[in-house]
Amino acid sequence: YQTIYRIPVVVHIVHNGEAVGSGANISYAQIQSQIEVLNEDFRRRIGSNGFNENEAGADTLIEFFLATEDPNGSALEEPGIDRVDGGRSEWPKGFLRNPIETSLKPFTIWDPEKYFNIWTVNFGGFASRDLLGYAQFPDESGLPGLNVDNGPDNTDGIVIGYKYFGSSEKGNFPDMIAPYDLGRTTTHEVGHWLGLRHIWGDGDCTYDDYCLDTPLSAEPSYGCPVDKITCTELEMIENYMDYTDDGCMNVFTLDQMDRMHTVLETCPRRKEL
Ligand code: ARG
Ligand code: ZN
Ligand code: CA
């Protein structure tokens, strides 16, 4: 028997007054499809897209569930959901990412020691490609590589573009955009939230992600490249912490699992065992 970390989630669905199920006011089914993907990926579930036969591949023993109670202890009509009229159609994502960081998150966050906070927003159009999502790193773990992108408690969590939240294999979600429509943006950002760095270490072959079982790489990979080597070894382009297409990813490694467990054991965030 192994201990499973079970993480209660609240999804703040940030919309602009649309009816439930249209535009940024995404349906409950779309939220559920994303929670299923997280559990398939973090548990390396057999028969799902999250399964792999990589010898370094891990069942991380981490699971996610939609919270059943709000911060006052009242039952939620839609478990794990907080629908927020943010009063704007697009949320700019400049370098400082205001106003998401300065107003949206602090005003809507649920106690980050009791809930894992996820916000879905419309980031708005961008010339080449939308930002898909971003995360705030944990900072109490003492692990190497986490002295960047930290923030105050009242912005803890991840932000995901609503067009990339969920899986179009699990329902009819017409606004989702391939090849980022299988829920792996959220898997990737949860990896950051639990202390994982990018697979290429955000630098050339001298930069690492502090995991020995992920080969060095000099750059992010896009698409689904075959036999790619930029340093000395075959790259693990199927790792969730790369930038490859959603359908190309299916691995967290054992060393990545260890980092995530260290974060869960040292940071004052809620988990049930
Ligand atoms: N923060 C990254 C971005 O916006 C996330 C990339 C996730 N990759 C994916 N295949 N879903 O580019
Ligand atoms: Zn990333
Ligand atoms: Ca490595």
Side-chain angles (χ1 to χ4, degrees):
Y1 179 79
Q2 301 179 93
T3 303
I4 309 292
Y5 296 93
R6 300 187 68 245
I7 300 183
V9 176
V10 58
V11 182
H12 307 280
I13 303 173
V14 182
H15 60 85
N16 190 30
E18 299 94 327
V20 172
S22 78
N25 201 358
I26 54 180
S27 66
Y28 196 68
Q30 190 169 336
I31 305 296
Q32 283 176 308
S33 76
Q34 181 63 67
I35 300 297
E36 280 177 34
V37 170
L38 286 176
N39 289 326
E40 291 171 1
D41 292 352
F42 279 81
R43 295 301 316 272
R44 194 173 63 165
R45 192 156 285 157
I46 293 167
S48 80
N49 288 338
F51 185 69
N52 68 74
E53 290 180 304
N54 194 301
E55 61 177 23
D59 165 0
T60 70
L61 306 175
I62 300 167
E63 293 183 3
F64 302 84
F65 68 99
L66 290 162
T68 53
E69 293 184 351
D70 73 11
N72 303 317
S74 309
L76 285 157
E77 202 179 307
E78 292 181 295
I81 303 298
D82 174 36
R83 294 187 186 270
V84 178
D85 187 336
R88 59 192 300 161
S89 59
E90 294 187 353
W91 292 83
K93 49 168 191 3
F95 183 66
L96 292 173
R97 292 184 185 122
N98 297 328
I100 296 177
E101 295 299 306
T102 55
S103 91
L104 177 64
K105 288 164 92 180
F107 282 110
T108 55
I109 194 167
W110 289 9
D111 184 349
E113 296 192 16
K114 297 205 173 89
Y115 302 91
F116 169 29
N117 285 266
I118 300 177
W119 288 265
T120 63
V121 302
N122 185 11
F123 282 122
F126 192 57
S128 51
R129 128 163 129 52
D130 261 357
L131 177 68
L132 304 175
Y134 68 93
Q136 180 171 307
F137 278 125
D139 58 4
E140 305 92 340
S141 68
L143 287 167
L146 297 183
N147 53 344
V148 290
D149 281 347
N150 294 313
D153 291 354
N154 67 4
T155 55
D156 182 55
I158 66 174
V159 185
I160 309 289
Y162 80 93
K163 297 168 186 166
Y164 314 104
F165 194 81
S167 170
S168 58
E169 280 187 355
K170 295 178 185 292
N172 179 29
F173 312 127
D175 288 348
M176 293 200 72
I177 301 174
Y180 304 111
D181 59 341
L182 299 178
R184 265 58 192 273
T185 297
T186 304
T187 300
H188 176 105
E189 303 305 337
V190 175
H192 285 314
W193 180 74
L194 289 172
L196 302 186
R197 297 293 308 260
H198 288 135
I199 204 83
W200 68 97
D202 297 303
D204 62 24
C205 299
T206 66
Y207 288 79
D208 192 20
D209 62 351
Y210 309 97
C211 292
L212 289 173
D213 60 3
T214 58
L216 289 171
S217 165
E219 59 182 28
S221 293
Y222 294 91
C224 199
V226 177
D227 293 343
K228 190 175 171 195
I229 301 179
T230 54
C231 296
T232 54
E233 274 179 86
L234 185 63
E235 291 176 26
M236 194 184 278
I237 56 100
E238 53 285 322
N239 195 282
Y240 295 118
M241 302 316 291
D242 207 334
Y243 273 180
T244 40
D245 289 350
D246 278 15
C248 196
M249 302 175 154
N250 63 5
V251 178
F252 281 126
T253 68
L254 293 161
D255 286 351
Q256 288 178 320
M257 174 180 77
D258 286 348
R259 275 179 76 88
M260 294 194 277
H261 285 187
T262 298
V263 167
L264 286 167
E265 293 296 340
T266 53
C267 295
R269 287 164 167 166
R270 171 68 174 277
K271 66 252 171 200
E272 293 177 357
L273 291 172

